[in-house]
Amino acid sequence: MSDALRSGGQGNPRDRILERIRAATGKDAKSATQDLEAVQSRLREHPRGPRPPFNWPELVAQFRAQASALQSTVEVVENLADVPAAIAHYLEDLQLDRRAVSWPEFRGLDWRAAGLQVEQRTVRDGDLVGITGAYAGIAETGTLMLLSGPQTPAAMSLLPDTHIAILRTSRIVEGMEEAWNLLRNEHGKPPRAVNFVSGPSRSGDIEMQIVLGVHGPYRVHIVLVTQDAGTPRELINTDWWRQPART
Amino acid sequence: MARMSGVRADAVAKVPNFEEIRTAGAAIRDRVLSNLDAYLFQFEQAAQARGVIVHWAETGTDVNRIVRDIAQQNGVKKIIKSKSMLGEESSLNHYLQEAGLDVRETDLGEYILQISGETPSHIIAPAIHKSKEDVGELFERVHQMPRKHTIPEMCREARMMLRPHFLSADMGISGANFLIAETGSVVIVTNEGNGRMTTTMPRIHVAITGIEKVIPTLEDLSVLLRLLTRSATGQATSNYISMLTGVRGPNDSDGPEQMHVVIVDNHRTELLASDMREALRCIRCGACMNHCPVYEVIGGHTYGWVYPGPIGSVLTPSYVGLEKAGELPNASTLCGACAVVCPVKIPLPDLMRKLREKSFERKLRPASERLSMRLWGYVAARPKLYALATKLGARMLQWMGGEDKLIHKLPGGLKEWTNGRDMPAPSGKTFRELYAEKKAVGK
């Protein structure tokens, strides 16, 4: 802290820029130190701002409606074991390739019985269907939240023409703020990439006509799974994790 | 632009407390600007803790040099780029190409402009001035492929042409919509997915961004995103919002091995120190230009530099100098639409008025204009004289209009007005006279 606030740092661009900022905002060494403490305390508290009224009767229905409005397609199954058959129907209806790559967590599913060939490996250019899970769903906007990681590579939801996401309904939260709380509670810090995905890739860059599938997937299909252990609500709603001091 | 303003209005109407969120958005930006040193320091600490290399650039030239050095030190040959207005400020592409690097724009609009050798005319829809026939013809010539006639076919062709570059590039350059002080993250908002490609596939990611882009927390991000996407394109959210924090882990199969963030001043501290600081609240949504009657008529290129529309009329004179861009604050009717739609409540007409005052005080306006303003000011400050002068003027213009009530030729310096059109002659009475008459009748 003291390093950053040392005045008269003329030596390098960083110090000169920070010095100009302090001059522009009327700060001296003392007020700069006090202000930094106030800023740090605000970052620890991270208070919520106002947001639109969330008065939906049912989270999952809201998620479905919003996701559909953004051109994702959504279907619901009871158990994870039902997912391969659901995906097989989806691919068949659209006459898409029956080969896919998936995140390793879905290795145990009986894809073969559904007539699909699903490999658990890194995605390559030319793979047409990518199957991923999702960390959470956001009801406000029908958005998928994906975290990158060794078991959850980011490219699998990006390179293939078709992205299929498997999302447990217990992971659907109201808004982004609840998702941030989940992330802080379960991981502490964000992973390399947090990707919020709301429907297929699109562009309006030519004559403002919306076209789907520009660089990312042409289509996003979400399979909601209703039966599973569920996420304890305290992870979403409470601030218990703030108590243990982190350094 | 009518379509753009329509979709924004629809999106805003669905949020009953949009005004409350707007006020909160402006407050977040102001809080950052008044403690900018502390927020940047916190961002730097958090980013470095995640393995990010943070660079500081005082000028556009410094940005270009820093990015070139990163490329050369890492043996980079091919670079893919998602949209960065800061890159436009410093003409980064041109500089890197001069240094022998292969740079590809990947935002569809920016790509179209790059292969046609043009610059953006809008910050959100950069190629809005081109028709689909223009693009079809351009693609046929540059891609050497059969002519495409529909927009989906053109998008598919651009996807096919760009995909190999995404996969073979050594470095990705992006801008940043926001930097988050709490986590040290760079946030990129796109619809096409090119931002995700640029920051996921190459082994090096360089984000270049202005000092003002930092915001405090993830909660503040949520507030500003709700404002940004609705104001920009009328969407409740953009397709892709990517929050990037540091480099790939040892077991990750994708993501960059190096992440650099270049934090750029380039005249922003001057703006911060001035009475125009509010302009730095800008989150680059483009709503002010979408709602500007002057932008609608003259188009983005007329503004002469990176940022068009009302925000450009404020930023450009501040960044390149009032001497060079003094006309821009006058490229406005001060109708106020931009201030009404700005998601962070930048008082754009007030700022343009301040710039007009400055250019008057610094004698940057022509002598004839300054003289006539003085004269007008003298008369306007004396009600009786003003009444007499306008009365005479109205009578004279009526007389000049003659039988057909049209003035075909105005005298002296005003003749340009009537070169290509006639001026309808007034009724011969001033507003004050008419008002007095109406009032008398009312009694």
Side-chain angles (χ1 to χ4, degrees), chain A residues 176-184 196, chain B residues 218 221-222 243:
Chain A
M176 223 181 214
E177 288 85 348
E178 284 80 6
W180 297 135
N181 269 1
L182 264 187
L183 181 67
R184 289 190 183 108
F196 293 95
Chain B
L218 299 172
L221 174 67
S222 308
M243 186 172 98

Side-chain angles (χ1 to χ4, degrees), chain B residues 141-160:
Chain B
R141 181 161 49 83
V142 175
H143 295 162
Q144 301 279 312
M145 307 260 291
R147 178 69 174 262
K148 302 294 183 295
H149 297 280
T150 69
I151 295 171
E153 284 175 325
M154 292 171 199
C155 289
R156 195 171 277 258
E157 186 171 301
R159 175 191 176 103
M160 199 179 78

Side-chain angles (χ1 to χ4, degrees), chain A residues 14 16 20 27 40 51 140 155 157 184 190 192 194-196 198 200-201 203 205 207 215-216, chain B residues 17 31 35 41-42 44 50 58 106 109 132 159 191-192 196 219 226 239 241-243 245 254 265:
Chain A
R14 173 189 184 276
R16 285 197 295 269
R20 280 203 295 275
K27 293 194 182 188
Q40 286 167 337
R51 55 184 190 176
E140 181 188 1
S157 58
R184 289 190 183 108
R192 181 194 69 78
V194 178
N195 283 302
F196 293 95
S198 305
S201 148
S203 175
D205 272 354
E207 294 191 352
H215 295 302
Chain B
N17 60 339
R31 188 174 302 119
N35 279 307
F41 172 69
Q42 286 298 131
E44 183 185 48
R50 297 294 298 267
E58 295 186 270
T106 60
K132 80 173 178 206
R159 175 191 176 103
N191 279 314
E192 296 180 1
R196 284 184 71 191
E219 279 71 11
R226 289 188 183 101
N239 279 75
I241 295 162
S242 298
M243 186 172 98
T245 316
D254 50 34
D265 182 347

Side-chain angles (χ1 to χ4, degrees), chain A residues 21-22 24-27 31-32 35-36 39, chain B residues 26-39 214 272 277 280-281:
Chain A
I21 291 172
R22 272 171 217 132
T25 48
K27 293 194 182 188
S31 64
D35 290 345
L36 182 62
V39 163
Chain B
I28 291 168
R29 298 296 298 136
D30 278 349
R31 188 174 302 119
V32 166
L33 294 174
S34 57
N35 279 307
L36 191 55
D37 59 328
Y39 282 109
V214 67
L272 187 70
R277 182 189 290 181
L280 289 172
R281 286 183 197 156

Side-chain angles (χ1 to χ4, degrees), chain B residues 22 275-276 278-279 281 288 291-293 309-314 328-342 345-357:
Chain B
R22 233 179 125 220
D275 55 355
M276 317 256 304
E278 289 129 320
R281 286 183 197 156
C288 61
H291 292 75
C292 178
I311 189 65
S313 294
V314 170
L328 288 182
N330 296 297
S332 164
T333 64
L334 300 183
C335 74
C338 49
V340 173
V341 297
C342 176
K345 296 190 166 181
I346 302 172
L348 287 157
D350 294 346
L351 299 184
M352 282 188 265
R353 220 175 271 120
K354 280 184 191 171
L355 284 167
R356 289 180 185 190
E357 278 165 22

